[in-house]
Amino acid sequence: MTIQYVDVLYTAVATAENGRDGRVATDDGKLDVIVNPPIELGGTGAGTNPEQLFAAGYSACFQSALGVVARRAKTDVSGSRVTAKVGLGKTESGGFGLTVALDVSIPNLERDAAAALVEQAHEVCPYSNATRGNVEVTLSVV
């Protein structure tokens, strides 16, 4: 596997305390949340969890990538929405892994045109590039 070279323009910094049952905060104080395992995994579900944070980041990033490719194609994607569903489960090797389903709605485009833009966004989105070859990502136009 080839490691992609990146000319870093910004670095986000976050620190976790007590892992999945604690707190995570960014160095600038803009994010400071309690994390707890969800009820489905035996936790209290009182706080957020890493999968929710990943889903939030991926959906926002993919939405931005969609805007980039739409501008290049001179296409209007106003009113579009991206919903990321991040699943956590056991792998065949006994560890844990993630799955991602991205549901994209672009109400003012025909399905084929929307699907083409979604595929292009998947090529430029940093989250898509980071997960490619490591995480199963399913794209759906809804």
Side-chain angles (χ1 to χ4, degrees):
M1 179 162 112
T2 304
I3 296 179
Q4 179 182 21
Y5 170 77
V6 176
D7 182 15
V8 177
L9 302 173
Y10 168 75
T11 300
V13 178
T15 301
E17 299 170 0
N18 273 354
R20 287 183 166 273
D21 206 1
R23 174 180 168 258
V24 64
T26 56
D27 65 334
D28 62 6
K30 292 182 180 178
L31 178 72
D32 190 342
V33 295
I34 300 299
V35 290
N36 298 114
I39 293 169
E40 296 86 347
L41 297 178
T44 65
T48 189
N49 60 66
E51 292 71 38
Q52 288 175 325
L53 294 170
F54 190 80
Y58 204 156
S59 62
C61 188
F62 199 89
Q63 178 75 42
S64 290
L66 184 64
V68 167
V69 298
R71 281 189 296 281
R72 288 179 187 163
K74 295 182 173 62
T75 302
D76 180 17
V77 292
S78 59
S80 62
R81 297 175 62 131
V82 176
T83 301
K85 300 172 185 174
V86 175
L88 171 69
K90 293 183 180 179
T91 64
E92 292 175 352
S93 64
F96 291 90
L98 300 174
T99 62
V100 175
L102 296 176
D103 294 340
V104 184
S105 171
I106 310 174
N108 60 345
L109 284 184
E110 292 182 13
R111 186 173 194 78
D112 288 346
L117 282 180
V118 167
E119 287 293 335
Q120 291 171 34
H122 191 47
E123 292 302 312
V124 300
C125 175
Y127 274 69
S128 292
N129 288 330
T131 58
R132 189 168 288 111
N134 300 307
V135 175
E136 178 185 342
V137 178
T138 305
L139 305 173
S140 298
V141 176
V142 295

